[in-house]
Amino acid sequence: MTTLPTETPATDPDSSVDYDVAVGGGGAAGLSAAVFTARYGLETVVFDGGKAAITQCAHVENYLGFPGGVSPDRLLALGRTQASDEGATVVDERVTAVSRHDEEATRVDDEETQFVVATTDRETVADRVVVAAAYDGDVLEPLGDALPEPDPFVPTDAGRTDIDGLYVAGWASDETVHQVGVNVGHGTRVGLTVARDDMSERYWPAVGERYVDWVVHEGRYGGDGWTDHIDEWFEEEMRPADDDLGPATVEQTRDDLAAEFLGREIDETERRRRDRAGQRRLLDHLDDEVIREYAAELDATETSE
Ligand SMILES: Cc1cc2nc3c(=O)[nH]c(=O)nc-3n(C[C@H](O)[C@H](O)[C@H](O)COP(=O)(O)OP(=O)(O)OC[C@H]3O[C@@H](n4cnc5c(N)ncnc54)[C@H](O)[C@@H]3O)c2cc1C
């Protein structure tokens, strides 16, 4: 997991924010966005309930990585497990409305715009909100004229809407077509956008634009070569324009980035451990009957050899 060095607002006990990111909708797009925001280090909650597009599909047969297809319920359960394993909290509650915490607040004045996400059971204050509720775009109605009328989908740019800190992912956005793969991909795009916006604020835009979520082999960044080039790379691609500078200093930012890239490396032992752990996590989601049947077939093959 990539862990950035600076603490995020929701981890600050003095903050009035409950979560850095609240995602409304735990389907293909919402869970994918949550995986990315949680891995980046933002405290993330996903509220899920209401009408889904994906469960109307009988069997998903065109989503890469599942030869033979996968049931929508199994795919969503796998996605929930992954989002939870990465640190997101998934709650079975339907979002009823998204509104501004303070109509007057702007990120420039108050650092955090903040939204209130109302669900059937509670109100949650979040610094950023991702609406991934497929057909339930009317949860945005309390925001009034600040957003253009969906026609029929909400206009977005990499998930961003006209309201700073509010994003729309998946089916409800005008950037997608309606296939599971595209909407998982759009959720990924939006999750990255949220991370990049956070990083742009904490550093400056040229740094945020470079953020990716990669895990690499040991030596890829720390071995011969790469670290020698970090200064050059930083100068060429991330040196801030004067008016870009956020709260961080150039030197500190370069050191933070070097540390973050080195933190992406895993050695061979760790890679093998993760590969095995990942396979076991998949097994958790298979029917016991199928696992037993397969094990019996393996036993029979070994006995006959
Ligand atoms: C009949 C049908 C068949 C389809 N078949 C296929 C197919 O075979 N292959 C394929 O690739 N695509 C298929 N699709 C398209 C695919 O299902 C969607 O493109 C994709 O699921 C959209 O992803 P999403 O995350 O935007 O929505 P969803 O995956 O539907 O997720 C939305 C989630 O948000 C939740 N939600 C809704 N409202 C709220 C709320 N107010 N608060 C909190 N949570 C909320 C829902 O319960 C759901 O979990 C089909 C669609 C339909 C309608």
Side-chain angles (χ1 to χ4, degrees), residues 23-32 46-63 72 75-76 80 91-97 118-119 131-139 169-173 176-184 186-187:
V23 180
L31 289 171
S32 180
V46 180
F47 294 111
D48 189 44
K51 197 174 168 204
I54 194 164
T55 51
Q56 295 175 61
C57 170
H59 196 231
V60 181
E61 300 188 338
N62 48 8
Y63 184 56
L75 184 62
L76 291 179
R80 271 189 177 217
V91 182
D92 283 313
E93 282 171 29
R94 191 174 150 258
V95 174
T96 52
T119 61
V131 172
Y135 309 125
D136 243 355
D138 55 2
V139 298
W171 183 289
S173 154
T176 72
V177 291
H178 297 152
Q179 296 286 169
V180 174
V182 177
N183 291 283
V184 166
H186 193 247

Side-chain angles (χ1 to χ4, degrees), residues 239-258:
R239 169 64 61 176
D242 285 347
D243 56 359
D244 261 358
L245 257 183
T249 65
V250 171
E251 290 68 28
Q252 185 59 49
T253 303
R254 193 188 48 219
D255 292 350
D256 286 355
L257 288 182

